[in-house]
């Protein structure tokens, strides 16, 4: 289009189609907005996240993983870059490996896992905020955690 051409940006038809579909979702209202994964996760209620955290822990316990696991209250950090930091209430899965230090486990998850799993470390615990994790990623994280037992 004239505007995009004027700005010196070359946008292909697929990108425009994706942008159009995204904007159409926004225009459809809240149901539409929920189709956008990032927005859906931002709108997720803490009780939903807590239920996911309970299920996450149950899956690891079912495998007799040996991890020490608990659910704690925390905050999801939203934004960054030019956006001011916004914090949303959430529940975190806090875990401790039976033999590895927090630093050793975080390193293994980051380097040995494909794809890499990046986690929060707080004192002697790894913390996972499922607000920031898709269902598919959750499966990969559980698999990665079980690989390092």
């Amino acid at each position: 289009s004239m505007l995009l051409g004027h700005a010196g940006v070359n946008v292909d038809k697929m990108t425009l189609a994706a942008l159009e579909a995204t904007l159409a979702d926004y225009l459809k209202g809240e149901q539409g907005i929920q189709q956008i994964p990032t927005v859906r996760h931002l709108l997720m209620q803490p009780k939903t996240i807590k239920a996911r955290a309970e299920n996450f822990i149950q899956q690891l316990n079912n495998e007799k993983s040996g991890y020490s696991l608990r659910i704690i209250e925390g905050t999801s950090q939203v934004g960054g870059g030019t956006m001011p930091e916004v914090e949303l209430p959430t529940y975190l899965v806090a875990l401790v490996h039976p033999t590895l230090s927090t630093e050793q486990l975080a390193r293994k998850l980051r380097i040995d896992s494909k794809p890499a799993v990046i986690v929060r470390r707080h004192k002697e615990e790894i913390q996972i905020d499922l607000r920031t994790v898709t269902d598919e990623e959750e499966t990969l994280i559980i698999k990665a955690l079980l690989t390092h037992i």
Side-chain angles (χ1 to χ4, degrees):
S1 78
M2 186 103 128
L3 181 63
L4 290 172
H6 182 70
V9 178
N10 287 325
V11 180
D12 64 28
K13 285 186 167 125
M14 291 302 292
T15 304
L16 284 174
L19 181 60
E20 184 179 11
T22 302
L23 294 174
D25 271 347
Y26 277 111
L27 293 173
K28 284 181 207 156
E30 195 167 317
Q31 275 312 110
I33 287 175
Q34 301 224 0
Q35 301 309 310
I36 302 165
T38 305
V39 177
R40 185 168 59 240
H41 287 180
L42 291 178
L43 296 174
M44 199 180 292
Q45 295 298 311
K47 67 179 185 215
T48 305
I49 298 165
K50 188 175 187 181
R52 284 185 69 197
E54 288 165 353
N55 180 264
F56 184 95
I57 286 175
Q58 189 64 53
Q59 288 182 69
L60 286 172
N61 284 338
N62 287 348
E63 298 293 331
K64 310 253 184 297
S65 70
Y67 282 100
S68 166
L69 298 150
R70 65 193 187 109
I71 297 174
I72 57 172
E73 291 186 23
T75 56
S76 300
Q77 299 212 320
V78 183
T82 56
M83 281 180 61
E85 288 294 330
V86 175
E87 294 189 342
L88 299 174
T90 194
Y91 288 93
L92 307 169
V93 173
L95 61 91
V96 178
H97 190 279
T99 56
L100 297 176
S101 73
T102 303
E103 192 171 323
Q104 288 170 321
L105 178 59
R107 182 178 166 80
K108 281 184 176 292
L109 291 170
R110 188 175 68 250
I111 294 170
D112 298 343
S113 300
K114 301 284 178 258
V117 176
I118 310 298
V119 292
R120 286 188 206 179
R121 293 186 336 220
H122 183 72
K123 297 183 180 159
E124 293 307 307
E125 290 180 318
I126 296 280
Q127 296 180 346
I128 299 170
D129 181 5
L130 293 174
R131 180 191 295 281
T132 64
V133 174
T134 66
D135 292 343
E136 297 77 24
E137 290 166 340
E138 187 176 329
T139 303
L140 292 171
I141 293 169
I142 288 170
K143 191 173 152 193
L145 288 169
L146 292 172
T147 299
H148 298 300
I149 279 298

